[in-house]
Amino acid sequence: MTAGSGATDNPSDGEWLRVHPASPFIRGWLALAAIGFFFGRDFAERALQGGPVFEDGFAGRAPWLLAGGGTVLLLAVLGFILTWYFTRYQVSGGFVRVNTGFIFRQQRQARLDRVQAIDIEQPLLARIFGLAELKFEVADAGESAVRLSYLKIAEARQLRATILARASGAQPGGHSEAGPAAEAPEHPVLAVPPSRLAGSLLLSEQSVLVILGAVASVVLSALAENQGFYFYLIPAALGLGASYWRLFNKGYNFTAAVSPDGIRLRYGLLDTQAQTLPPGRIQALRIVQPPLWRALGWYRMQVNVAGYGAADNAGEGSSRTTLLPVGRMEHVLAMLALVLPDPGTPRAVEVFGAGLAGLDSGCGFVTTPRRARFLAPFGWRRNGFTATDTALLIRSGRWWRELVVVPHQRTQSIALQQGPLARRFRVADLVLHTTAGPVAPRLVQAGVDQARALFDQQSARARLARKRQTTEQWLAQVAPPKSPFNPLQEGPQHG
């Protein structure tokens, strides 16, 4: 193919390439729809009302309307063409670069060895045309550093494979003779059935709030003999329905697989997305279990990844930072084995199990001292921490159980916090700072002596772990596939 078609036999030889010619039309279809709505609104309204489509005197104004509409449409199409012509990308010299703009020029580039994750997104219209958008997340970018929209789906996968091979260290970067890399094979780990996803939404915290609101409205209506309280349920029901649809659309057909270039996540009903997360790039991980999920043994996993914290919108950020929307204990252990191949303890299942459901000081956990039980009468026996050779584990919550895992080398800074009430009971909070995201590591109400000791020990562990991390290429840091977590090996699990 030629460069103008958006593909070559070797997309990594330093040649400047263009995206697919249909890209600006897929991005700007709303503009074309707005033009059609503006010029056709009156005709449609008269037709729906049963009147004549063309009003009196239309023949005299028709040439002007056609000329104006044609001019606007021509300018829009010309803008699309120029946008496509001046949008080019290049993979060379250890960088991926994208040039955009024909009036205001812009070049964005990302170092391959700093790539945190690569997503392939297919909005519904792009899926119809067989196209996809590539998003490159880079450390400290604050947003998607580079976006390529749109490429043919096969070309997008090929380019992703090449960049991930260089970012991981599997293929040397910056050398044109290396050529494009073949897409790495993958091993399915798990799949979330739609029925479990729907059940998790119905048993979510927001469902409980809506039910409590409905009960309160019924009681108030009965006591006040005024049915106006029922109207407050309408916006709540509409909002809940929209939230359910967004979460179900994003989490539908969620599958996870492992490959040499990272953890591959796929999900989406109308708009599909394929993420590739190198495990060495995950900054922190959180496992939560709401009260209504406990009887079914369900958990949810979320992660912090550099660049994902400042997503374009809340819905996108939530889906992109979800490692497992809902799963049982064996699924949690399977994903932990991918994120933390070396848990730093031979008793990984026992230790992490105690972090998810344990109480008191079992498996080495240090909990809130008994003297401070009045500050957390239900959670003081559960709030605590322990450390393995590779990660710090922080657990909290008696009803809303939570376990936070932070690899030692991902600890950016630590802070001790103590309010006046905490000083009275001689406890303190310890906060670990990582990249922005849904996980906020915080150890609450630890004894002052234990908190100070952990502050010093974790600082030392973080320095030592960063010294051992001698390269940005994550493949050199990942342990062999054999893990004490004993991940599932028999293909995707739906149970």
Side-chain angles (χ1 to χ4, degrees):
M1 295 185 181
T2 63
S5 67
T8 72
D9 292 335
N10 186 353
S12 58
D13 61 1
E15 182 180 0
W16 285 96
L17 309 174
R18 292 193 177 92
V19 296
H20 195 276
S23 300
F25 295 93
I26 294 176
R27 289 196 302 266
W29 68 271
L30 280 176
L32 297 178
I35 294 172
F37 175 79
F38 179 80
F39 286 97
R41 178 183 55 186
D42 293 338
F43 302 109
E45 289 179 353
R46 284 194 293 269
L48 292 174
Q49 294 171 0
V53 177
F54 301 104
E55 61 183 1
D56 296 339
F58 175 76
R61 293 186 292 110
W64 296 103
L65 289 174
L66 290 175
T71 301
V72 173
L73 182 61
L74 180 62
L75 290 175
V77 172
L78 181 61
F80 287 166
I81 295 174
L82 290 175
T83 299
W84 167 78
Y85 182 81
F86 286 98
T87 299
R88 300 184 300 166
Y89 70 94
Q90 177 196 58
V91 180
S92 178
F95 290 86
V96 55
R97 301 179 179 88
V98 177
N99 287 344
T100 57
F102 59 92
I103 296 179
F104 300 98
R105 304 298 299 274
Q106 182 184 51
Q107 182 184 88
R108 305 199 72 176
Q109 68 177 18
R111 279 177 48 185
L112 298 185
D113 61 357
R114 297 289 285 175
V115 169
Q116 299 290 306
I118 299 182
D119 300 351
I120 294 182
E121 294 189 357
Q122 284 190 286
L124 182 59
L125 190 59
R127 288 177 64 187
I128 295 174
F129 287 91
L131 303 179
E133 178 185 39
L134 270 182
K135 286 185 178 181
F136 306 92
E137 301 294 346
V138 180
D140 305 324
E143 59 180 8
S144 291
V146 176
R147 291 174 179 245
L148 275 179
S149 54
Y150 289 87
L151 305 174
K152 290 182 178 180
I153 183 63
E155 297 167 7
R157 290 172 177 167
Q158 173 68 78
L159 184 57
R160 178 185 65 173
T162 299
I163 292 176
L164 282 173
R166 296 188 180 186
S168 68
Q171 185 185 93
H175 300 287
S176 60
E177 62 270 15
E183 188 169 17
E186 63 181 43
H187 174 72
V189 175
L190 60 86
V192 178
S195 58
R196 188 195 301 156
L197 178 64
S200 69
L201 296 178
L202 294 176
L203 297 177
S204 62
E205 299 93 329
Q206 57 188 2
S207 297
V208 175
L209 294 177
V210 170
I211 292 174
L212 292 177
V215 172
S217 297
V218 171
V219 171
L220 290 174
S221 298
L223 294 177
E225 297 183 355
N226 182 359
Q227 296 184 355
F229 289 100
Y230 289 115
F231 289 103
Y232 292 105
L233 297 178
I234 297 176
L238 293 176
L240 183 64
S243 176
Y244 279 166
W245 167 250
R246 176 180 60 81
L247 294 173
F248 187 80
N249 180 46
K250 289 291 186 181
Y252 183 82
N253 198 30
F254 184 96
T255 61
V258 61
S259 71
D261 54 22
I263 304 169
R264 294 182 181 175
L265 308 177
R266 296 184 180 88
Y267 50 87
L269 180 59
L270 297 181
D271 301 340
T272 62
Q273 185 161 325
Q275 291 179 249
T276 302
L277 296 176
R281 300 302 201 195
I282 293 176
Q283 311 291 313
L285 178 143
R286 179 177 67 178
I287 308 168
V288 296
Q289 185 183 52
L292 296 181
W293 288 16
R294 191 175 304 177
L296 298 171
W298 289 348
Y299 299 88
R300 179 172 59 244
M301 301 178 68
Q302 295 175 293
V303 293
N304 284 1
V305 178
Y308 276 7
D312 297 336
N313 56 69
E316 181 185 8
S318 176
S319 62
R320 298 175 74 194
T321 56
T322 298
L323 193 65
L324 178 64
V326 55
R328 297 194 300 268
M329 175 63 77
E330 60 265 30
H331 305 127
V332 171
L333 295 179
M335 298 306 292
L336 278 171
L338 304 182
V339 175
L340 200 65
D342 179 13
T345 172
R347 304 165 56 205
V349 174
E350 185 178 352
V351 171
F352 281 79
L356 291 171
L359 294 175
D360 298 323
S361 57
C363 294
F365 276 88
V366 179
T367 59
T368 299
R370 187 178 180 84
R371 64 176 179 271
R373 63 187 182 278
F374 298 106
L375 297 179
F378 297 106
W380 70 275
R381 295 175 59 197
R382 174 158 171 80
N383 299 338
F385 72 92
T386 190
T388 71
D389 292 341
T390 57
L392 178 67
L393 282 64
I394 302 174
R395 72 182 187 190
S396 61
R398 186 69 177 268
W399 306 113
W400 274 268
R401 293 175 175 174
E402 179 175 303
L403 174 65
V404 172
V405 182
V406 182
H408 294 320
Q409 70 270 23
R410 300 304 174 188
T411 301
Q412 297 184 357
S413 61
I414 312 175
L416 276 175
Q417 298 179 357
Q418 188 183 47
L421 194 59
R423 284 196 294 271
R424 168 67 179 79
F425 289 92
R426 291 184 292 121
V427 294
D429 292 359
L430 186 139
V431 180
L432 277 74
H433 302 129
T434 68
T435 58
V439 186
R442 186 185 188 96
L443 172 64
V444 297
Q445 297 165 354
V448 170
D449 295 337
Q450 290 86 352
R452 288 174 177 169
L454 178 61
F455 183 94
D456 296 333
Q457 293 166 3
Q458 186 62 22
S459 300
R461 284 191 288 255
R463 286 194 299 270
L464 181 60
R466 283 193 292 268
K467 288 180 179 179
R468 292 174 178 172
Q469 182 182 327
T470 57
T471 174
E472 290 291 342
Q473 295 181 330
W474 67 268
L475 187 65
Q477 307 165 27
V478 176
K482 198 69 175 177
S483 170
F485 286 115
N486 294 321
L488 306 176
Q489 299 291 337
E490 302 300 327
Q493 302 294 310
H494 296 268

